[in-house]
Amino acid sequence: MRVRKQKRHRRAVRFYTACFGFRQPFKILCDGTFVHNLIVNRVAPADKALSNILGGSVKLFTTRCILEELKRLGNSYSESLQAAHKLMIAKCDHEDKKSAEACIVEIIGENNPEHFFVATQDFDLRKKFREVPGVPVIFGLRNALFLEPPSAFQQEFVKSSEEQRLHATEPEYKILKNRTKSTSTNEESRHSSDENKGSEEMQPHKKKQGARMRMDVKDRPQFKRKKAKAPNPLSCKKKKKDINPKPSSEKESNAGDDAMRSGSRKRKRSRKGKSLAEMDNK
């Protein structure tokens, strides 16, 4: 239940802030009945309890007429009078003292210019402020405080004011008419001047036309042709030279030297001894 009550209160505060311009710290005008209810039910501190309802910082106000009314009620309201003296005093323009109800009605007026939340236990006063646009009402029920939701009259007033904002008023409509006329006359004069210039330009002047053509050619955007891109630098890399060039030729030369050496080592046999032996046998 507490969560639902908080949501309902926050929704009502959002309505008054968006549609009527209420801002923090919220100003609360308390009458004697509301202060007495807080004292009887021991709702303290009152500013903290009210700030929890409204979801923001608050300032509590009363009037001199309300203080005088509490004095006249006697000793039973002495504690309430002491608590009311601690509140801030809102100025009331009337010189003569009035009843608390008449004083609050005069301060609120027709549109509640000071953006007051009215805190009261008076049912007739609450009912009266339901028919005044932009007047939120707070009341107490035992030790709990409640913010009344916006009345049907206040919601209809907001809808009608929004519709009026969408439509233009008579002076605004006249201003728009004058502006449209002035713009139309200016456009007609421009068209006529353009036509006169066009007729003068249509006369044959070959030199001028050639110059204009050249200017047109210069003014035209010149698209650059795509140039051939350079080849990949990795593909153009030169081959590395071998440190030991022609190893096969060295091997061949080494093999030839070995063969020459082996050939030189062979012993050559002389055939003279064979010929002497053959002669002896004969």
Side-chain angles (χ1 to χ4, degrees), residues 19-282:
C19 300
F20 296 101
F22 283 72
R23 295 290 180 270
Q24 295 185 27
F26 299 118
K27 296 189 287 186
I28 302 172
L29 185 60
C30 306
D31 69 346
T33 59
F34 185 78
V35 175
H36 184 68
N37 181 68
L38 294 176
I39 296 299
V40 169
N41 293 297
R42 303 298 176 187
V43 180
D47 54 352
K48 187 175 181 181
L50 290 166
S51 64
N52 290 335
I53 290 171
L54 302 180
S57 58
V58 296
K59 287 183 179 180
L60 305 182
F61 290 84
T62 189
T63 63
R64 292 176 181 176
C65 298
I66 293 169
L67 294 175
E68 291 294 330
E69 189 178 61
L70 287 171
K71 280 182 184 179
R72 289 195 298 268
L73 291 173
N75 293 328
S76 58
Y77 286 84
S78 60
E79 192 175 355
S80 302
L81 180 61
Q82 291 177 2
H85 274 294
K86 295 178 182 178
L87 305 180
M88 301 174 72
I89 295 174
K91 292 181 180 180
C92 45
D93 297 332
H94 50 268
E95 295 179 357
D96 299 331
K97 293 178 182 178
K98 293 184 177 181
S99 64
E101 183 178 350
C103 181
I104 292 171
V105 169
E106 187 175 344
I107 289 172
I108 296 300
E110 296 180 355
N111 298 318
N112 191 12
E114 296 294 328
H115 301 296
F116 277 115
F117 285 77
V118 178
T120 180
Q121 297 295 111
D122 191 351
F123 182 77
D124 294 333
L125 192 61
R126 287 161 53 190
K127 188 177 180 181
K128 186 180 290 185
F129 284 135
R130 286 172 192 165
E131 296 178 357
V132 179
V135 183
V137 179
I138 299 171
F139 66 96
L141 187 62
R142 294 180 183 176
N143 60 349
L145 302 177
F146 295 90
L147 173 63
E148 285 190 358
S151 62
F153 174 81
Q154 291 175 351
Q155 291 179 356
E156 288 178 0
F157 177 82
V158 170
K159 288 181 181 178
S160 62
S161 62
E162 286 180 355
E163 288 178 357
Q164 288 177 1
R165 288 174 187 173
L166 294 173
H167 299 290
T169 58
E170 290 183 0
E172 290 175 350
Y173 187 69
K174 289 179 180 178
I175 291 167
L176 287 171
K177 269 188 174 181
N178 294 329
R179 286 184 179 179
T180 51
K181 285 180 181 179
S182 61
T183 52
S184 62
T185 52
N186 290 330
E187 287 178 357
E188 287 177 357
S189 61
R190 285 176 186 174
H191 283 303
S192 60
S193 61
D194 291 337
E195 288 177 356
N196 293 328
K197 287 180 182 178
S199 61
E200 291 176 358
E201 289 176 356
M202 288 297 290
Q203 294 176 1
H205 296 289
K206 291 183 180 180
K207 292 181 180 179
K208 290 183 180 180
Q209 287 179 356
R212 284 175 190 169
M213 290 294 289
R214 289 173 186 173
M215 289 295 290
D216 292 337
V217 170
K218 288 181 181 178
D219 292 337
R220 288 176 186 173
Q222 296 178 359
F223 296 100
K224 294 181 180 180
R225 293 182 180 179
K226 291 183 179 180
K227 295 181 180 180
K229 293 182 179 179
N232 191 354
L234 296 174
S235 63
C236 298
K237 228 174 186 182
K238 293 181 180 181
K239 292 182 179 181
K240 292 181 180 180
K241 293 182 179 181
D242 295 331
I243 298 168
N244 297 322
K246 298 180 181 181
S248 59
S249 61
E250 288 182 356
K251 287 180 181 179
E252 290 176 356
S253 61
N254 291 330
D257 294 338
D258 293 336
M260 290 292 290
R261 287 175 186 173
S262 61
S264 61
R265 284 178 185 176
K266 286 182 180 180
R267 189 181 291 175
K268 293 181 179 181
R269 293 180 181 180
S270 60
R271 294 181 178 180
K272 291 179 180 180
K274 288 183 180 181
S275 60
L276 292 171
E278 288 177 355
M279 288 294 291
D280 293 333
N281 291 326
K282 287 177 179 181

